[in-house]
Amino acid sequence: MSLTVPPSLLDAAESGPVDDEAFVACVRDSLPYAWQTVSRVAADLGSGDAEFADNVIPPPTEAERGQLLRALASDAIRASLERHFGVKLAFQNCHRVAAFRLSAVGSDTYRRFISTRGQLLNQSPELRDC
């Protein structure tokens, strides 16, 4: 299971729209490694002038890798993280998460990062199992 959903949040979902911040809190509490990684790249982006900041450090265990994959594979989770941090997330292999400024979406840098060429160039033999 991806998220540990508090009963009150499940009740809210069953009766109508869910508050975005309540969902983000659920993501933060359920997927702490993914939250920490996205938080860090968003903070790194905010502290500089670059178009993007990224994580290139592999997760320490398969459990953390799974958290990151679940967070970024879910449209709802990914979109909520993007809204919360005010960034556009991009993802390569099993750990390279990038936070782009919204103004950089569509830029040459962004297009290179999300391209098939960028994906292929970011591979290595040690990443084949991820």
Side-chain angles (χ1 to χ4, degrees):
M1 180 172 7
S2 294
L3 300 176
T4 303
V5 182
S8 60
L9 187 56
L10 185 56
D11 289 344
E14 289 173 346
S15 64
V18 175
D19 176 72
D20 211 30
E21 287 307 309
F23 182 68
V24 166
C26 178
V27 171
R28 180 195 65 227
D29 295 344
S30 300
L31 304 171
Y33 178 81
W35 177 266
Q36 179 185 45
T37 302
V38 172
S39 295
R40 183 171 33 81
V41 296
D44 289 350
L45 179 65
S47 68
D49 294 330
E51 286 184 286
F52 77 100
D54 62 339
N55 174 68
V56 295
I57 303 164
T61 70
E62 289 304 309
E64 281 91 357
R65 184 181 320 279
Q67 285 187 32
L68 200 54
L69 292 171
R70 284 192 301 276
L72 293 163
S74 164
D75 290 340
I77 294 173
R78 186 179 191 152
S80 71
L81 292 170
E82 289 175 335
R83 286 189 302 273
H84 179 78
F85 290 107
V87 299
K88 175 67 175 164
L89 296 174
F91 189 52
Q92 290 181 344
N93 64 40
C94 56
H95 65 271
R96 189 168 183 213
V97 179
F100 280 83
R101 296 183 192 288
L102 296 177
S103 61
V105 174
S107 70
D108 289 341
T109 302
Y110 178 78
R111 286 195 310 273
R112 272 192 307 274
F113 189 93
I114 66 166
S115 72
T116 53
R117 181 175 187 255
Q119 179 69 43
L120 291 170
L121 293 173
N122 194 50
Q123 300 304 295
S124 67
E126 26 325 316
L127 297 177
R128 287 197 179 132
D129 288 334
C130 53

CSV table of all heavy atoms in Angstrom, one decimal, residues 88-122:
chain,number,residue,atom,x,y,z
A,88,LYS,N,7.7,22.0,-10.8
A,88,LYS,CA,7.3,20.9,-11.7
A,88,LYS,C,8.4,19.8,-11.5
A,88,LYS,O,9.6,20.0,-11.5
A,88,LYS,CB,7.4,21.4,-13.2
A,88,LYS,CG,7.2,20.3,-14.2
A,88,LYS,CD,5.8,19.7,-14.1
A,88,LYS,CE,5.6,18.7,-15.3
A,88,LYS,NZ,4.4,17.9,-15.0
A,89,LEU,N,7.9,18.6,-11.1
A,89,LEU,CA,8.8,17.5,-10.9
A,89,LEU,C,9.1,16.7,-12.2
A,89,LEU,O,8.2,16.5,-13.0
A,89,LEU,CB,8.2,16.6,-9.8
A,89,LEU,CG,8.1,17.2,-8.4
A,89,LEU,CD1,7.4,16.2,-7.5
A,89,LEU,CD2,9.4,17.6,-7.8
A,90,ALA,N,10.3,16.3,-12.3
A,90,ALA,CA,10.7,15.4,-13.4
A,90,ALA,C,11.5,14.2,-12.8
A,90,ALA,O,12.1,14.4,-11.7
A,90,ALA,CB,11.5,16.1,-14.4
A,91,PHE,N,11.4,13.1,-13.4
A,91,PHE,CA,12.0,11.9,-12.8
A,91,PHE,C,12.7,11.0,-13.8
A,91,PHE,O,12.2,10.8,-14.9
A,91,PHE,CB,10.8,11.1,-12.1
A,91,PHE,CG,11.2,10.0,-11.3
A,91,PHE,CD1,12.1,10.1,-10.2
A,91,PHE,CD2,10.6,8.7,-11.4
A,91,PHE,CE1,12.4,9.1,-9.4
A,91,PHE,CE2,10.9,7.7,-10.6
A,91,PHE,CZ,11.8,7.8,-9.6
A,92,GLN,N,13.9,10.6,-13.5
A,92,GLN,CA,14.7,9.6,-14.3
A,92,GLN,C,15.1,8.5,-13.4
A,92,GLN,O,15.4,8.6,-12.2
A,92,GLN,CB,15.9,10.3,-14.9
A,92,GLN,CG,15.6,11.3,-16.0
A,92,GLN,CD,16.9,11.9,-16.6
A,92,GLN,OE1,17.9,11.7,-16.0
A,92,GLN,NE2,16.7,12.5,-17.7
A,93,ASN,N,15.3,7.3,-14.0
A,93,ASN,CA,15.7,6.1,-13.4
A,93,ASN,C,15.0,5.9,-12.0
A,93,ASN,O,13.8,6.2,-11.9
A,93,ASN,CB,17.2,5.9,-13.3
A,93,ASN,CG,18.0,6.9,-12.5
A,93,ASN,OD1,17.6,7.3,-11.4
A,93,ASN,ND2,19.2,7.3,-13.0
A,94,CYS,N,15.7,5.4,-11.0
A,94,CYS,CA,15.0,5.1,-9.8
A,94,CYS,C,15.2,6.1,-8.7
A,94,CYS,O,14.8,5.9,-7.5
A,94,CYS,CB,15.4,3.7,-9.3
A,94,CYS,SG,17.2,3.6,-9.1
A,95,HIS,N,15.9,7.2,-8.9
A,95,HIS,CA,16.2,8.1,-7.9
A,95,HIS,C,16.4,9.6,-8.3
A,95,HIS,O,16.5,10.4,-7.5
A,95,HIS,CB,17.3,7.7,-7.0
A,95,HIS,CG,18.7,7.6,-7.7
A,95,HIS,ND1,19.1,6.5,-8.4
A,95,HIS,CD2,19.6,8.6,-7.9
A,95,HIS,CE1,20.2,6.8,-9.0
A,95,HIS,NE2,20.6,8.0,-8.7
A,96,ARG,N,16.6,9.8,-9.6
A,96,ARG,CA,17.0,11.1,-10.0
A,96,ARG,C,15.7,12.0,-10.1
A,96,ARG,O,15.0,12.0,-11.2
A,96,ARG,CB,17.7,11.1,-11.3
A,96,ARG,CG,18.3,12.5,-11.6
A,96,ARG,CD,19.3,12.6,-12.7
A,96,ARG,NE,19.8,14.0,-12.8
A,96,ARG,CZ,20.1,14.5,-14.0
A,96,ARG,NH1,20.1,13.7,-15.1
A,96,ARG,NH2,20.5,15.7,-14.0
A,97,VAL,N,15.4,12.7,-9.1
A,97,VAL,CA,14.2,13.5,-9.0
A,97,VAL,C,14.7,15.0,-9.2
A,97,VAL,O,15.7,15.4,-8.6
A,97,VAL,CB,13.5,13.5,-7.7
A,97,VAL,CG1,12.3,14.4,-7.6
A,97,VAL,CG2,13.1,12.1,-7.4
A,98,ALA,N,14.1,15.7,-10.1
A,98,ALA,CA,14.4,17.1,-10.3
A,98,ALA,C,13.2,18.0,-10.1
A,98,ALA,O,12.1,17.6,-10.4
A,98,ALA,CB,14.9,17.3,-11.8
A,99,ALA,N,13.4,19.1,-9.5
A,99,ALA,CA,12.4,20.1,-9.3
A,99,ALA,C,12.8,21.3,-10.2
A,99,ALA,O,13.9,21.8,-10.1
A,99,ALA,CB,12.4,20.6,-7.9
A,100,PHE,N,11.8,21.6,-11.1
A,100,PHE,CA,12.0,22.7,-12.1
A,100,PHE,C,11.2,23.9,-11.6
A,100,PHE,O,10.0,23.7,-11.2
A,100,PHE,CB,11.6,22.3,-13.5
A,100,PHE,CG,12.7,21.5,-14.2
A,100,PHE,CD1,12.7,20.1,-14.0
A,100,PHE,CD2,13.5,22.1,-15.1
A,100,PHE,CE1,13.7,19.3,-14.6
A,100,PHE,CE2,14.5,21.3,-15.8
A,100,PHE,CZ,14.6,19.9,-15.5
A,101,ARG,N,11.7,25.1,-11.9
A,101,ARG,CA,10.9,26.3,-11.7
A,101,ARG,C,9.7,26.1,-12.8
A,101,ARG,O,9.9,25.6,-13.9
A,101,ARG,CB,11.7,27.5,-12.0
A,101,ARG,CG,12.8,27.7,-11.0
A,101,ARG,CD,13.5,29.0,-11.3
A,101,ARG,NE,14.7,29.0,-10.5
A,101,ARG,CZ,14.8,29.2,-9.2
A,101,ARG,NH1,13.7,29.4,-8.5
A,101,ARG,NH2,15.9,29.2,-8.5
A,102,LEU,N,8.6,26.6,-12.4
A,102,LEU,CA,7.4,26.6,-13.3
A,102,LEU,C,7.8,27.3,-14.6
A,102,LEU,O,7.3,26.9,-15.7
A,102,LEU,CB,6.2,27.1,-12.6
A,102,LEU,CG,5.7,26.2,-11.4
A,102,LEU,CD1,4.5,26.9,-10.8
A,102,LEU,CD2,5.4,24.8,-11.9
A,103,SER,N,8.5,28.4,-14.5
A,103,SER,CA,8.9,29.2,-15.6
A,103,SER,C,9.9,28.5,-16.5
A,103,SER,O,10.0,28.8,-17.7
A,103,SER,CB,9.5,30.5,-15.2
A,103,SER,OG,10.7,30.3,-14.4
A,104,ALA,N,10.5,27.4,-16.1
A,104,ALA,CA,11.5,26.6,-16.9
A,104,ALA,C,10.8,25.5,-17.7
A,104,ALA,O,11.4,24.9,-18.5
A,104,ALA,CB,12.6,26.1,-16.0
A,105,VAL,N,9.5,25.2,-17.3
A,105,VAL,CA,8.8,24.1,-18.1
A,105,VAL,C,8.7,24.5,-19.5
A,105,VAL,O,8.3,25.6,-19.8
A,105,VAL,CB,7.5,23.8,-17.5
A,105,VAL,CG1,6.7,22.8,-18.3
A,105,VAL,CG2,7.6,23.3,-16.0
A,106,GLY,N,9.2,23.7,-20.4
A,106,GLY,CA,9.2,24.0,-21.8
A,106,GLY,C,10.6,24.5,-22.3
A,106,GLY,O,10.8,24.7,-23.5
A,107,SER,N,11.4,24.9,-21.4
A,107,SER,CA,12.8,25.4,-21.7
A,107,SER,C,13.6,24.3,-22.3
A,107,SER,O,13.3,23.1,-22.2
A,107,SER,CB,13.5,25.9,-20.5
A,107,SER,OG,13.8,24.9,-19.6
A,108,ASP,N,14.7,24.6,-23.0
A,108,ASP,CA,15.6,23.6,-23.5
A,108,ASP,C,16.1,22.7,-22.4
A,108,ASP,O,16.2,21.5,-22.6
A,108,ASP,CB,16.8,24.3,-24.2
A,108,ASP,CG,16.4,25.0,-25.5
A,108,ASP,OD1,15.3,24.7,-26.1
A,108,ASP,OD2,17.2,25.9,-26.0
A,109,THR,N,16.4,23.2,-21.3
A,109,THR,CA,16.9,22.4,-20.2
A,109,THR,C,15.9,21.4,-19.7
A,109,THR,O,16.2,20.2,-19.5
A,109,THR,CB,17.3,23.3,-19.0
A,109,THR,OG1,18.3,24.3,-19.4
A,109,THR,CG2,17.9,22.5,-17.8
A,110,TYR,N,14.7,21.8,-19.6
A,110,TYR,CA,13.6,20.9,-19.2
A,110,TYR,C,13.4,19.8,-20.3
A,110,TYR,O,13.3,18.7,-20.0
A,110,TYR,CB,12.3,21.7,-19.0
A,110,TYR,CG,11.1,20.8,-18.6
A,110,TYR,CD1,11.0,20.3,-17.3
A,110,TYR,CD2,10.2,20.5,-19.5
A,110,TYR,CE1,9.9,19.5,-17.0
A,110,TYR,CE2,9.1,19.7,-19.2
A,110,TYR,CZ,9.0,19.2,-17.9
A,110,TYR,OH,7.9,18.4,-17.6
A,111,ARG,N,13.3,20.3,-21.5
A,111,ARG,CA,13.1,19.3,-22.6
A,111,ARG,C,14.2,18.3,-22.7
A,111,ARG,O,14.0,17.1,-22.9
A,111,ARG,CB,12.9,20.0,-23.9
A,111,ARG,CG,11.5,20.7,-24.0
A,111,ARG,CD,11.1,21.1,-25.4
A,111,ARG,NE,12.1,21.9,-26.1
A,111,ARG,CZ,12.3,23.2,-26.1
A,111,ARG,NH1,11.4,23.9,-25.3
A,111,ARG,NH2,13.2,23.8,-26.7
A,112,ARG,N,15.5,18.7,-22.5
A,112,ARG,CA,16.6,17.8,-22.5
A,112,ARG,C,16.5,16.8,-21.3
A,112,ARG,O,16.7,15.6,-21.5
A,112,ARG,CB,17.9,18.5,-22.3
A,112,ARG,CG,18.5,19.0,-23.6
A,112,ARG,CD,20.0,19.4,-23.5
A,112,ARG,NE,20.2,20.5,-22.5
A,112,ARG,CZ,20.0,21.8,-22.7
A,112,ARG,NH1,19.6,22.2,-23.9
A,112,ARG,NH2,20.2,22.6,-21.7
A,113,PHE,N,16.1,17.3,-20.1
A,113,PHE,CA,16.0,16.4,-19.0
A,113,PHE,C,14.9,15.3,-19.2
A,113,PHE,O,15.1,14.1,-18.8
A,113,PHE,CB,15.6,17.2,-17.7
A,113,PHE,CG,15.7,16.4,-16.5
A,113,PHE,CD1,16.9,16.3,-15.7
A,113,PHE,CD2,14.7,15.6,-16.0
A,113,PHE,CE1,17.0,15.6,-14.6
A,113,PHE,CE2,14.7,14.9,-14.8
A,113,PHE,CZ,15.9,14.8,-14.1
A,114,ILE,N,13.8,15.7,-19.8
A,114,ILE,CA,12.7,14.7,-19.9
A,114,ILE,C,12.7,13.9,-21.2
A,114,ILE,O,11.9,13.1,-21.5
A,114,ILE,CB,11.3,15.4,-19.7
A,114,ILE,CG1,11.0,16.4,-20.8
A,114,ILE,CG2,11.2,16.0,-18.4
A,114,ILE,CD1,9.6,16.8,-20.9
A,115,SER,N,13.7,14.2,-22.0
A,115,SER,CA,13.8,13.5,-23.4
A,115,SER,C,14.2,12.1,-23.2
A,115,SER,O,14.8,11.6,-22.2
A,115,SER,CB,14.8,14.3,-24.3
A,115,SER,OG,16.1,14.0,-23.8
A,116,THR,N,13.9,11.3,-24.3
A,116,THR,CA,14.4,9.9,-24.3
A,116,THR,C,15.9,9.9,-24.3
A,116,THR,O,16.5,9.0,-23.7
A,116,THR,CB,13.9,9.2,-25.6
A,116,THR,OG1,14.2,9.9,-26.7
A,116,THR,CG2,12.4,9.0,-25.5
A,117,ARG,N,16.6,10.8,-25.0
A,117,ARG,CA,18.0,10.9,-25.0
A,117,ARG,C,18.5,11.1,-23.5
A,117,ARG,O,19.5,10.5,-23.1
A,117,ARG,CB,18.5,12.0,-25.9
A,117,ARG,CG,20.0,12.1,-25.9
A,117,ARG,CD,20.5,13.2,-27.0
A,117,ARG,NE,21.9,13.1,-27.1
A,117,ARG,CZ,22.7,14.0,-26.6
A,117,ARG,NH1,22.2,15.1,-25.9
A,117,ARG,NH2,24.0,13.9,-26.7
A,118,GLY,N,17.9,12.1,-22.8
A,118,GLY,CA,18.3,12.3,-21.4
A,118,GLY,C,18.1,11.1,-20.6
A,118,GLY,O,19.0,10.8,-19.7
A,119,GLN,N,17.1,10.4,-20.8
A,119,GLN,CA,16.8,9.2,-20.0
A,119,GLN,C,17.9,8.1,-20.3
A,119,GLN,O,18.5,7.6,-19.4
A,119,GLN,CB,15.5,8.6,-20.4
A,119,GLN,CG,15.1,7.3,-19.7
A,119,GLN,CD,14.9,7.5,-18.2
A,119,GLN,OE1,14.2,8.4,-17.8
A,119,GLN,NE2,15.5,6.6,-17.4
A,120,LEU,N,18.3,7.9,-21.6
A,120,LEU,CA,19.3,7.0,-21.9
A,120,LEU,C,20.7,7.4,-21.4
A,120,LEU,O,21.4,6.5,-20.9
A,120,LEU,CB,19.3,6.8,-23.4
A,120,LEU,CG,18.1,6.1,-24.0
A,120,LEU,CD1,18.2,6.2,-25.5
A,120,LEU,CD2,18.0,4.7,-23.5
A,121,LEU,N,21.0,8.6,-21.5
A,121,LEU,CA,22.3,9.1,-21.0
A,121,LEU,C,22.4,9.0,-19.5
A,121,LEU,O,23.5,9.1,-18.9
A,121,LEU,CB,22.6,10.5,-21.5
A,121,LEU,CG,22.7,10.6,-23.0
A,121,LEU,CD1,22.8,12.1,-23.4
A,121,LEU,CD2,24.0,9.8,-23.5
A,122,ASN,N,21.3,8.9,-18.8
A,122,ASN,CA,21.3,8.9,-17.3
A,122,ASN,C,21.3,7.4,-16.8
A,122,ASN,O,21.2,7.2,-15.6
A,122,ASN,CB,20.1,9.6,-16.7
A,122,ASN,CG,20.3,9.9,-15.3
A,122,ASN,OD1,21.3,10.4,-14.8
A,122,ASN,ND2,19.3,9.5,-14.5
